Amino acid sequence: MSEKAARSWLSTHHELIPALGISHSKALETIEDHSKTVGDLADIIALDPGMSLSLFHDVNSKLLHSGKNGVDSVHAALSLLGDSAIADLVMQHKVLNESHLYAPGRQAYHQLMSRTYHLLAQLDHFIGSQGIRAIHEIRSAALLHNVGEFCACLFDQDNYRQYQARFLDLGSEANSAKPVFGFDFHELGRVYAEKSYLPALVTESLEQNILTGRKARLIQLAADISHQAEVGWYHSAMKATEEVCAAYLNQSLNGFYKHLQAVAIKSARHCPFDDVLPAAARLIIMPDRAIAKPVVPEPDKQQPDGQEFENRIKTLLETAQPTQAQILDLLLRHLHDDLHLTRVVLMLLSADKSKLGTRAGKGISELSPIRNLTIDISNASLLKSLIGKPRALWIEPDDYHKYEASLPAKFKASFLHESFFLMSLHVAGKPVGMIFCDRAQAVTGLDKISYIKFKSAIMLVSNALTHLAKRNHQPAAR
């Protein structure tokens, strides 16, 4: 009955899955660049479900109707098309941000794609340990393993939101989608694969009641890891999945989970979406918690000059009994609201100067691991070096590799961004903490003017706190 329900649903929701904006732009650029090859374009399409699905449908439908076997990879399919057909495939394809104007709907699909890229990353790790050579074939199938959920997310958003709420309560239970849709996503995926002429490996990876081959089983295992990680890394179902994976791969369970988590962190660093919560962000959330809603930046407005912020500080100092907390809150609001730095975090030093812990922030989700972050800086690190003197640092994406090794692991796993401002905060000549800022959810990146204003604001607050401490004849509060 559930397969019948899936067929019925698909008959009224069989729309074209749009291309991701970032993939579509790269594909267009590649077509126009005559130095690029068909293989270069295939590498891009192989990371985009929408264009991959259209490609398989066009190529395999013709091959099968002519009595030939269909192809199993994006690279093989694209090699059978002429230049004009390739250009038409890309240029005429619908794009997500143009066909789906509802921002929360786009964000839900981005979150699903973040999980899919995590699946691919774990699969690459498994493939490497198994010596599989047909990489394009297995990756093409793995990209489309969640095709049923792609359709539900994009074309039935009200019911999909209900499913998400159930998923957060139940975890990746096999029937968690059935009470809402009347079928599970694997059933819908198998029906979609049949109608769209997808490679047989896609369907095989979606079968639950037969003995699957090695390639399909590896896709299933990687999918289970990525799905469980959507609600956390430390619950019993994830532990059971890790045991199954380790046993199938003939690896020792001791330390196996660390390899999985390292892959998740690497995947998160290369995720192209700013509005998602990658699986790696849940590594230090204890206990496991639900997916956080993305921070949506406020509409752009003209930045006030430093004089206006200085006037606010002076006005506050002129009140009868201003507190250090009030001054620091004014700083955070200035950095977030006026300078449009989307994530602003105040970290204060512990009494023994060995740790930095989050005290306050702006633009940080209630469930973000950043809120409970404590970083040991007793060992030599970039943070320890910065905290020693009133210093600021602007790390840009192209230079991140220079600093990566000297950043604490917890810092990297929590912030998951390669472009940010850091500056130590001193009061009366003594270090008390550090300010972190970035534009992780913004369209525009960090710039020189914002960096100058960032440093100026923190120096101004440092002077104000020093003045307040002397006036009150007491050291800076913790």
Side-chain angles (χ1 to χ4, degrees):
M1 289 298 293
S2 55
E3 182 179 327
K4 182 178 179 181
R7 291 185 181 277
S8 176
W9 184 94
L10 197 58
S11 67
T12 57
H13 296 85
H14 199 138
E15 303 173 51
L16 179 69
I17 291 181
L20 295 162
I22 187 170
S23 298
H24 193 255
S25 297
K26 288 181 178 179
L28 289 174
E29 292 173 1
T30 302
I31 289 175
E32 295 171 358
D33 187 344
H34 297 296
S35 67
K36 300 295 185 180
T37 67
V38 173
D40 294 326
L41 180 61
D43 289 340
I44 296 169
I45 294 178
L47 291 175
D48 185 272
M51 288 189 287
S52 292
L53 288 165
S54 295
L55 177 62
F56 280 126
H57 183 277
D58 291 349
V59 172
N60 282 346
S61 62
K62 294 175 182 177
L63 289 173
L64 294 171
H65 288 157
S66 64
K68 300 177 181 179
N69 293 326
V71 295
D72 295 323
S73 73
V74 167
H75 290 72
L78 204 61
S79 68
L80 297 178
L81 295 182
D83 291 345
S84 60
I86 291 175
D88 288 343
L89 172 74
V90 175
M91 297 178 69
Q92 297 178 13
H93 209 287
K94 289 184 178 179
V95 183
L96 180 67
N97 57 0
E98 296 174 358
S99 61
H100 287 68
L101 302 180
Y102 183 57
R106 294 197 305 272
Q107 188 276 330
Y109 186 59
H110 285 167
Q111 184 67 47
L112 186 50
M113 284 308 306
S114 175
R115 187 214 304 175
T116 299
Y117 291 156
H118 180 206
L119 185 165
L120 290 173
Q122 295 293 353
L123 180 63
D124 286 343
H125 176 60
F126 296 167
I127 289 173
S129 69
Q130 296 291 293
I132 293 178
R133 295 185 178 182
I135 296 177
H136 292 324
E137 175 192 346
I138 192 171
R139 283 180 60 87
S140 291
L143 177 77
L144 303 178
H145 181 78
N146 294 320
V147 65
E149 192 167 350
F150 294 158
C151 293
C153 172
L154 291 169
F155 309 134
D156 197 351
Q157 293 179 356
D158 290 340
N159 282 328
Y160 186 71
R161 283 194 292 273
Q162 293 182 41
Y163 156 75
Q164 284 183 304
R166 289 184 57 83
F167 172 70
L168 293 179
D169 290 334
L170 301 177
S172 54
E173 298 295 336
N175 295 325
S176 57
K178 283 189 176 180
V180 179
F181 290 95
F183 50 80
D184 66 48
F185 294 141
H186 284 181
E187 291 169 323
L188 181 62
R190 292 196 295 270
V191 174
Y192 190 98
E194 174 191 325
K195 291 182 174 293
S196 300
Y197 305 96
L198 300 187
L201 186 55
V202 176
T203 301
E204 186 182 0
S205 75
L206 294 170
E207 295 286 356
Q208 299 296 304
N209 300 319
I210 66 172
L211 185 62
T212 58
R214 182 172 59 154
K215 295 174 186 176
R217 186 58 181 146
L218 290 177
I219 294 174
Q220 291 173 350
L221 293 176
D224 287 346
I225 290 292
S226 64
H227 205 189
Q228 296 288 2
E230 288 295 290
V231 291
W233 289 87
Y234 310 103
H235 53 86
S236 59
M238 174 61 91
K239 294 300 182 184
T241 301
E242 290 172 355
E243 292 176 3
V244 171
C245 287
Y248 186 85
L249 298 172
N250 196 27
Q251 295 186 16
S252 170
L253 185 59
N254 183 29
F256 179 68
Y257 71 96
K258 292 183 179 179
H259 291 291
L260 298 179
Q261 295 177 2
V263 171
I265 292 174
K266 183 177 180 180
S267 174
R269 288 176 181 157
H270 293 92
C271 183
F273 311 114
D274 290 330
D275 57 349
V276 303
L277 186 67
R282 302 179 189 87
L283 283 172
I284 61 173
I285 298 178
M286 291 293 286
D288 297 320
R289 305 181 187 182
I291 297 173
K293 296 181 179 179
V295 178
V296 180
E298 295 182 2
D300 194 19
K301 59 183 180 180
Q302 184 178 1
Q303 295 183 5
D305 58 26
Q307 186 63 47
E308 181 178 344
F309 176 64
E310 183 176 354
N311 290 338
R312 296 179 199 167
I313 294 292
K314 288 181 177 178
T315 300
L316 184 59
L317 286 174
E318 290 171 0
T319 61
Q321 291 182 325
T323 65
Q324 294 177 359
Q326 288 175 314
I327 294 175
L328 290 170
D329 183 67
L330 191 61
L331 170 65
L332 299 185
R333 284 190 282 116
H334 171 63
L335 296 174
H336 182 263
D337 299 342
D338 299 336
L339 303 189
H340 307 304
L341 298 165
T342 56
R343 294 192 301 182
V344 178
V345 182
L346 169 66
M347 295 177 284
L348 295 184
L349 275 172
S350 60
D352 63 358
K353 312 294 185 184
S354 66
K355 294 180 177 63
L356 276 172
T358 298
R359 177 58 62 88
K362 299 293 182 182
I364 308 299
S365 164
E366 289 292 330
L367 300 179
S368 171
I370 297 172
R371 287 188 173 274
N372 302 314
L373 181 62
T374 300
I375 302 173
D376 188 346
I377 62 168
S378 57
N379 297 323
S381 71
L382 179 61
L383 302 186
K384 183 177 181 180
S385 175
L386 281 176
I387 206 73
K389 297 180 180 179
R391 296 174 57 194
L393 177 65
W394 173 10
I395 294 183
E396 300 182 77
D398 291 342
D399 295 326
Y400 181 78
H401 67 280
K402 299 178 183 178
Y403 301 96
E404 184 176 7
S406 61
L407 287 169
K410 271 193 173 183
F411 179 93
K412 292 182 286 189
S414 299
F415 290 103
L416 293 171
H417 205 55
E418 299 182 359
S419 179
F420 48 85
F421 298 156
L422 280 174
M423 186 167 178
S424 56
L425 178 66
H426 285 65
V427 176
K430 297 180 179 180
V432 297
M434 185 170 293
I435 306 292
F436 169 98
C437 297
D438 70 2
R439 283 187 176 145
Q441 282 80 35
V443 176
T444 57
L446 300 174
D447 56 81
K448 185 175 181 179
I449 293 177
S450 295
Y451 182 52
I452 293 172
K453 292 184 177 182
F454 162 80
K455 292 191 295 182
S456 176
I458 294 175
M459 287 301 298
L460 179 63
V461 164
S462 176
N463 292 335
L465 291 174
T466 298
H467 172 77
L468 185 63
K470 291 179 178 179
R471 191 168 76 182
N472 293 339
H473 301 290
Q474 62 182 28
R478 292 288 182 268

